[in-house]
Amino acid sequence: MNRILILLITIFPSVVFADELDTGDTAWILVSTALVLFMTLPGLALFYSGLVRAKNVLSVLMQCFAIACLVSILWLVFAYGLAFGDGGSLNQIVGLGNLMISDVGMDSMSGTIPEIVFFMFQMTFAIITPALIIGGFAERMKFSSVLLFTALWLTLVYAPVCHWVWGGGWLADKGFMDFAGGTVVHINAGVGAIVAALVLGNRRGFPDKPMAPHNMALTVAGASMLWVGWFGFNAGSALASGSGAGMAMAVTHISAAAGSLAWMTCEWVRSGKPTVLGIVTGMVAGLGTITPASGYVGPLGGLLIGISAGVVCYFATQYIKRGLKIDDSLDVFPVHGVGGALGCLLTAVFYSNSFGGLQSADEAYSISSQFGVQVIGVVATIAWCAVITFVILKLVDMMVGLRVEEEEETEGLDIVLHNERGYNI
């Protein structure tokens, strides 16, 4: 419990921690928890399901829903302890104990909120991260493999990196800045997705055969839900209902809007027409890139980070898909992986008072020194996630196989794996 308090004080200096319950803070984190879950169900589920072909729409919805259920149980049984428990001699790497949240009682506090609320809030982060990876292997991975991969990945990738950054691990000790999940969520998900795409191989016909989204209306609806839910993701990470949450919400919105317009402009200039897919993807890029910086930067930082996200993630997507011809089906790595890394690095710059950041006036701060710490955190997360994800995928392949058969992929996963159709027309 003391480790969590020290961590929260270090990462969220705007919060004044006390031993007494603050009902306002608690109410806001309860709302934020619901908002973050809303990002996955129904937000991400609808966003992703609209982007795939009609014959696979239910498979994506099923994967998102099942992952939410599976991760919730694993978070209760042991994963929360791995991420936020006291690891003893291993504490720099991972937490230990607290099985079935045995140390969390009715009176347990995490700053000014009950620890059970903190447990639930962090659970929603653990849910959406492996759900994002679905975009890397969409339309070709066995359902049983998705579940097994998720369980192992949550245990061996997500929980340790979460502990490094937010659970009192070695990156926290170095002063690494990641307010709401640039490394823990976005780099992890992006790297996990592109490794999965490489290991499974491209979908049949990619890149020669057109694989256009089957229902952009679903995608726009899901994207809109993601935008709203992201306020819980970033502003909720202040763990209080004060000015820190308000600033995080403001810069989140500004970055999303700027990312949308920047991506749309790049697409308009290069192809001659702005697309709906482009503007909503730019929004997600802006949201993912501002996430690690959202509690540290001001409106100017939010604007410039959003513009950078739209431009950089757009060209990263073009390079991955058309240059390298890697079938990261729903662009998880160039949007979340590249965006998360970019946001972590820009945090060091825009935290400074000279760029309108929230650096304390009496705080000695060096952009170059903090930038070096941010680089270490980004590189370490990429390396850990890439290697462990590759090992997990190979292990799952040996146990149950990863990919459906060619004829099953052609028929569609909805019928083959779930004996249902998304559209009976």
Side-chain angles (χ1 to χ4, degrees), residues 339-391:
L342 178 65
C344 285
L345 299 179
L346 292 181
T347 298
V349 177
F350 292 110
Y351 176 60
S352 171
N353 281 333
S354 58
F355 290 98
L358 306 183
Q359 171 199 350
S360 300
D362 58 350
E363 180 182 358
Y365 183 75
S366 166
I367 292 178
S368 59
S369 177
Q370 185 62 45
F371 190 84
V373 173
Q374 299 300 104
V375 169
I376 291 172
V378 167
V379 171
T381 303
I382 291 172
W384 178 267
C385 182
V387 172
I388 304 301
T389 299
F390 178 81
V391 172

Side-chain angles (χ1 to χ4, degrees), residues 78-108:
F78 64 85
Y80 176 72
L82 292 177
F84 291 100
D86 186 344
S89 60
L90 296 176
N91 195 63
Q92 292 291 300
I93 305 299
V94 72
L96 298 172
N98 207 4
L99 300 179
M100 296 291 291
I101 58 171
S102 55
D103 296 336
V104 180
M106 288 291 291
D107 298 325
S108 301

Side-chain angles (χ1 to χ4, degrees), residues 42-132:
L44 184 70
L46 292 177
F47 181 72
Y48 274 0
S49 64
L51 291 174
V52 298
R53 290 166 290 181
K55 62 185 179 180
N56 296 310
V57 57
L58 287 181
S59 72
V60 171
L61 292 170
M62 179 68 164
Q63 288 167 7
C64 287
F65 207 98
I67 284 174
C69 298
L70 177 62
V71 171
S72 297
I73 302 304
L74 297 180
W75 192 249
L76 165 69
V77 175
F78 64 85
Y80 176 72
L82 292 177
F84 291 100
D86 186 344
S89 60
L90 296 176
N91 195 63
Q92 292 291 300
I93 305 299
V94 72
L96 298 172
N98 207 4
L99 300 179
M100 296 291 291
I101 58 171
S102 55
D103 296 336
V104 180
M106 288 291 291
D107 298 325
S108 301
M109 296 291 293
S110 181
T112 58
I113 65 175
E115 189 177 359
I116 192 65
V117 176
F118 180 77
F119 161 83
M120 280 297 302
F121 181 62
Q122 287 295 332
M123 177 194 288
T124 59
F125 282 61
I127 287 170
I128 197 169
T129 309
L132 286 170

Side-chain angles (χ1 to χ4, degrees), residues 197-287:
L198 289 168
V199 171
L200 267 77
N202 297 344
R203 288 170 292 179
R204 292 192 67 206
F206 180 90
D208 301 318
K209 181 180 178 182
M211 297 182 182
H214 90 281
N215 191 330
M216 278 304 302
L218 283 182
T219 294
V220 173
S224 303
M225 294 172 186
L226 284 171
W227 193 335
V228 174
W230 222 289
F231 292 137
F233 202 83
N234 287 357
S237 291
L239 297 179
S241 58
S243 58
M247 183 60 78
M249 179 177 285
V251 300
T252 297
H253 186 75
I254 291 166
S255 183
S260 294
L261 295 177
W263 188 299
M264 182 192 74
T265 301
C266 289
E267 188 176 54
W268 203 342
V269 170
R270 285 174 60 87
S271 66
K273 293 182 180 180
T275 66
V276 174
L277 177 58
I279 198 169
V280 298
T281 306
M283 176 214 72
V284 176
L287 289 170

Side-chain angles (χ1 to χ4, degrees), residues 137 139-143 145-146 149 200 393 402 413 417:
F137 53 68
E139 303 192 288
R140 57 199 188 277
M141 194 171 186
K142 293 180 178 179
F143 182 61
S145 303
V146 172
F149 169 79
L200 267 77
L393 287 166
L402 282 174
L413 304 190
L417 298 182

